[in-house]
Amino acid sequence: MMALMKRLATPSAALTCARSLKARPLLTWSVVNFVQRNQNSLSANSYSTTSTTENEQCERVSENDTVSPEFVNRNPRNLEKMALAYKDKGWYKSHPRKEYWHKLFVKKTSRHVSAWVEHVNGHIPVKASTEEWAIKKHLYSTTDVVARRNLGRVLAQRCLEAGIEYMVCGLDTEELKGEGNKAFYDAMVGSGVTFEEPKPINDFVAKKDYLPENI
Amino acid sequence: MAAPFVRTCGTFFRRSRVMFPQQKPQEGINVRLFNKPSSRLVHASVGIDIGLPPKLVMQGQQTKERREHLQNQKSKLQLEKSARLRQLEIPLDEVRRKWETTSAPYHIRATGHHYNIFTDLFDGADFLSHVVMKIFFECPDEGFMPVYYGNVITPTEALKPPTVHYDCDAGNLWTLLMVNPDGHLIYNDAEYVHWMIGNIPDEKLSEGDTIFDYLPVFPAKGTGYQRIVFLLFKQDGKVNYSDEIVPLPCRSLPNRTFSTHEFYAKYQDVLTPVGLSFSQCRWDQSVTAIFHDTLDMREPIFEYDVPKLPVLPQMKWPHRKTLNYLKQYLPDD
């Protein structure tokens, strides 16, 4: 089969504009310490406040040894996995809230059941539905409790394959009382998905008290 | 999809001023922009599909076959019994096998966009991964760690090259590429190529031209989870990779510095991406040995720079502001 010769767009003004927008890194890491060979890395306490100037004055061991003092990790899911990312807390006076990173949605129609995981930004990385032939061909009915349970098993497998282990459940306590939703929920939990997201580390940082009572 | 917004209490949101205007940041301050434009819009190749078109299927015949199958399902007593007694458990491996030929390309593309694979590697151009690769790392304690679409693997499991299987048409040549777009220690936009084999006949990796031999993954300590991307390209005949050849075994990081975008732009007439698989990787003890022994360098350790939240310039006459407003402008003592 001949491949369609789709060409990549040549760098244009849009790209140069993009470069200038990306010039300010959002997620930076700074080098704290270097570990020499034959040195126990645990003794070099990596999270202490050592200055980086003394590292620059050290001799380079080989041509590989140059490291930029600032490191940017472009993985968009990195901060969420490290629980360093912020959660969108500003919607606490509205419904639904957006204080999550990944949320599970379930849609039931008269003929089919669909479920998907949605990121707070709107991306849908993982989804499963009884409309898919791969699932439908094994089922007797596409809307009964057994269908929902098996849909949960399939979706949980796909979530774990996509690296999404923690999410918030879009079914509230009233909806979870129903047999179908309960079967779906239990199947997801039984297959390894956790319906509680880690709390961001920033929430644990003690707020600075600028006006202490005892001055 | 999501439920419509409902105002649960009588809050009046005043729109007299935009909360965080796009102001020019002063030098030396790392400003985190909340209203940043969508990352997919700024890339030049967004919307271009560089993969193969979907396979032609005789739709009428397929619908007829499926309808017949479903009608037969309804008449199967055993199936109805197990469904009504809530004992039916569908075979997940068969579901996955069928999924690979039907919906997998679209789902993998969506997951790839979620992890910004296409924006970082191909400048926004995406493709449907019709060939689903089965990549397994052999674990030291007798097991197999597969690579799917974002699952976490450890560097200890990835010390040796994995076994790679894919459904291939006989007589075609393939190129396998393994890159780490996040781990570059000097440049933010560059990648490290860990493994590249070109001109692979069918599935036999050993008979292909090894351009870059396998280098284990080395995510630096403190940097978090880095993506490891496996790409499979279908070749239009034999490709001459003499420009890419470096002296093997290649342990030099400047030689391993790579840009998939430039590589693909150079060979886009003869290569088509057909397979995508990726995972996430984080530091563990074996990475220290890789830095010290394999790469012959000191191991860097990083710490996260917490960005300061943006603060508006202080108003000279803060009308109707509380004392909390002034707290933002106190020095960091």
Side-chain angles (χ1 to χ4, degrees):
Chain A
M1 202 184 295
M2 271 295 283
L4 287 176
M5 298 305 175
K6 298 274 185 182
R7 302 204 137 252
L8 290 178
T10 49
S12 60
L15 198 57
T16 48
C17 175
R19 290 261 154 79
S20 62
L21 276 173
K22 281 201 283 188
R24 288 183 292 282
L26 303 181
L27 340 153
T28 56
W29 280 258
S30 57
V31 172
V32 175
N33 208 341
F34 282 92
V35 177
Q36 299 277 0
R37 198 187 302 229
N38 301 326
Q39 183 185 6
N40 187 7
S41 62
L42 295 172
S43 63
N45 190 359
S46 55
Y47 296 102
S48 61
T49 52
T50 32
S51 65
T52 51
T53 47
E54 27 178 292
N55 294 317
E56 284 156 22
Q57 287 158 14
C58 280
E59 284 174 16
R60 282 180 44 193
V61 172
S62 68
E63 60 156 355
N64 286 342
D65 211 21
T66 6
V67 169
S68 162
E70 283 212 339
F71 182 96
V72 173
N73 187 341
R74 292 189 289 173
N75 185 1
R77 308 278 80 85
N78 178 45
L79 286 187
E80 288 157 19
K81 268 204 138 51
M82 292 178 82
L84 286 169
Y86 288 95
K87 282 190 188 173
D88 203 349
K89 288 187 177 185
W91 300 90
Y92 63 98
K93 289 206 186 285
S94 301
H95 178 77
R97 293 191 182 185
K98 285 190 179 182
E99 200 177 330
Y100 59 84
W101 292 313
H102 293 100
K103 189 170 176 184
L104 171 76
F105 288 93
V106 181
K107 182 177 98 166
K108 182 183 181 301
T109 62
S110 59
R111 281 187 196 255
H112 289 290
V113 186
S114 307
W116 66 93
V117 175
E118 197 173 314
H119 190 260
V120 69
N121 289 337
H123 309 150
I124 298 176
V126 189
K127 58 185 170 183
S129 170
T130 49
E131 294 165 347
E132 291 170 26
W133 178 243
I135 300 171
K136 188 160 59 170
K137 68 182 276 201
H138 295 284
L139 294 172
Y140 174 75
S141 158
T142 49
T143 51
D144 61 1
V145 170
V146 149
R148 302 231 219 149
R149 189 171 72 220
N150 285 301
L151 189 74
R153 289 171 66 216
V154 171
L155 184 66
Q157 185 193 40
R158 291 183 190 174
C159 284
L160 295 177
E161 285 175 8
I164 299 166
E165 295 119 8
Y166 304 99
M167 63 184 86
V168 156
C169 188
L171 302 164
D172 54 25
T173 39
E174 276 300 310
E175 286 172 320
L176 279 175
K177 286 177 184 170
E179 283 174 322
N181 286 331
K182 192 171 185 310
F184 179 83
Y185 183 91
D186 291 341
M188 293 276 290
V189 171
S191 302
V193 169
T194 311
F195 280 115
E196 193 185 338
E197 277 192 330
K199 203 170 167 185
I201 288 171
N202 304 302
D203 287 359
F204 293 103
V205 171
K207 299 260 188 280
K208 218 169 178 182
D209 188 12
Y210 287 102
L211 302 171
E213 287 174 17
N214 315 316
I215 295 175
Chain B
M1 283 198 242
F5 294 121
V6 165
R7 191 172 281 150
T8 50
C9 61
T11 47
F12 174 63
F13 185 68
R14 236 189 315 171
R15 282 187 169 272
S16 55
R17 204 153 50 91
V18 176
M19 287 309 289
F20 291 106
Q22 297 277 335
Q23 53 179 355
K24 272 190 185 171
Q26 299 147 35
E27 281 180 20
I29 295 179
N30 187 14
V31 175
R32 188 158 164 265
L33 301 170
F34 282 88
N35 296 326
K36 62 182 165 80
S38 166
S39 56
R40 282 169 70 171
L41 291 175
V42 297
H43 293 271
S45 302
V46 169
I48 298 176
D49 187 349
I50 50 172
L52 292 175
K55 291 174 193 162
L56 287 171
V57 171
M58 304 298 290
Q59 280 291 344
Q61 194 186 351
Q62 188 191 68
T63 318
K64 195 174 159 189
E65 281 170 11
R66 287 181 178 182
R67 204 184 311 127
E68 274 174 26
H69 176 92
L70 290 174
Q71 279 164 1
N72 289 341
Q73 291 274 86
K74 289 286 182 186
S75 59
K76 283 180 187 164
L77 273 174
Q78 197 56 39
L79 185 71
E80 185 182 349
K81 192 175 172 184
S82 61
R84 290 199 190 278
L85 292 174
R86 298 183 182 175
Q87 288 160 359
L88 177 61
E89 303 251 317
I90 59 178
L92 289 181
D93 49 348
E94 277 187 38
V95 168
R96 191 158 205 279
R97 214 175 298 133
K98 198 66 198 173
W99 172 78
E100 282 171 10
T101 49
T102 52
S103 327
Y106 302 92
H107 290 186
I108 295 168
R109 186 174 62 176
T111 319
H113 275 302
H114 182 63
Y115 282 92
N116 272 2
I117 301 284
F118 301 112
T119 51
D120 289 336
L121 293 184
F122 293 106
D123 199 34
D126 56 19
F127 59 92
L128 289 170
S129 100
H130 292 290
V131 175
V132 178
M133 293 192 280
K134 282 135 193 136
I135 303 170
F136 294 97
F137 281 104
E138 212 174 293
C139 296
D141 50 340
E142 286 181 28
F144 288 98
M145 191 64 209
V147 169
Y148 291 128
Y149 323 108
N151 58 326
V152 175
I153 58 175
T154 55
T156 324
E157 289 156 1
L159 283 172
K160 289 183 188 161
T163 48
V164 181
H165 292 293
Y166 46 88
D167 290 331
C168 49
D169 331 326
N172 269 307
L173 294 170
W174 311 80
T175 301
L176 178 70
L177 179 61
M178 175 182 167
V179 291
N180 178 352
D182 303 319
H184 209 279
L185 296 167
I186 305 170
Y187 307 113
N188 294 335
D189 290 343
E191 305 144 25
Y192 279 137
V193 54
H194 285 271
W195 205 21
M196 179 144 93
I197 308 179
N199 298 317
I200 305 166
D202 296 335
E203 274 188 275
K204 300 156 199 160
L205 298 177
S206 48
E207 290 176 31
D209 306 329
T210 309
I211 301 146
F212 283 99
D213 57 325
Y214 183 76
L215 178 69
V217 178
F218 52 95
K221 186 171 184 180
T223 55
Y225 293 86
Q226 297 177 4
R227 295 164 292 179
I228 314 297
V229 185
F230 287 87
L231 288 164
L232 187 71
F233 295 93
K234 195 170 185 179
Q235 289 177 209
D236 197 20
K238 199 167 168 93
V239 177
N240 184 10
Y241 284 118
S242 53
D243 290 344
E244 320 295 325
I245 284 175
V246 288
L248 295 179
C250 180
R251 295 283 171 261
S252 152
L253 290 182
N255 281 349
R256 290 253 175 190
T257 302
F258 194 72
S259 167
T260 312
H261 182 257
E262 280 169 24
F263 169 78
Y264 181 68
K266 190 175 168 189
Y267 294 101
Q268 60 184 316
D269 291 334
V270 286
L271 289 186
T272 322
V274 288
L276 171 67
S277 204
F278 54 95
S279 64
Q280 295 181 84
C281 209
R282 191 192 164 174
W283 183 91
D284 80 354
Q285 283 291 340
S286 60
V287 174
T288 312
I290 298 170
F291 272 111
H292 288 167
D293 304 329
T294 317
L295 295 172
D296 194 29
M297 62 186 278
R298 298 173 291 166
E299 187 195 6
I301 298 175
F302 293 91
E303 197 178 60
Y304 181 55
D305 271 339
V306 185
K308 284 190 175 175
L309 295 178
V311 164
L312 291 170
Q314 192 173 1
M315 288 200 287
K316 192 171 181 184
W317 307 112
H319 179 56
R320 295 194 69 178
K321 295 286 180 195
T322 58
L323 208 59
N324 273 330
Y325 172 77
L326 288 176
K327 279 187 188 175
Q328 298 170 74
Y329 303 104
L330 282 174
D332 288 330
D333 313 333

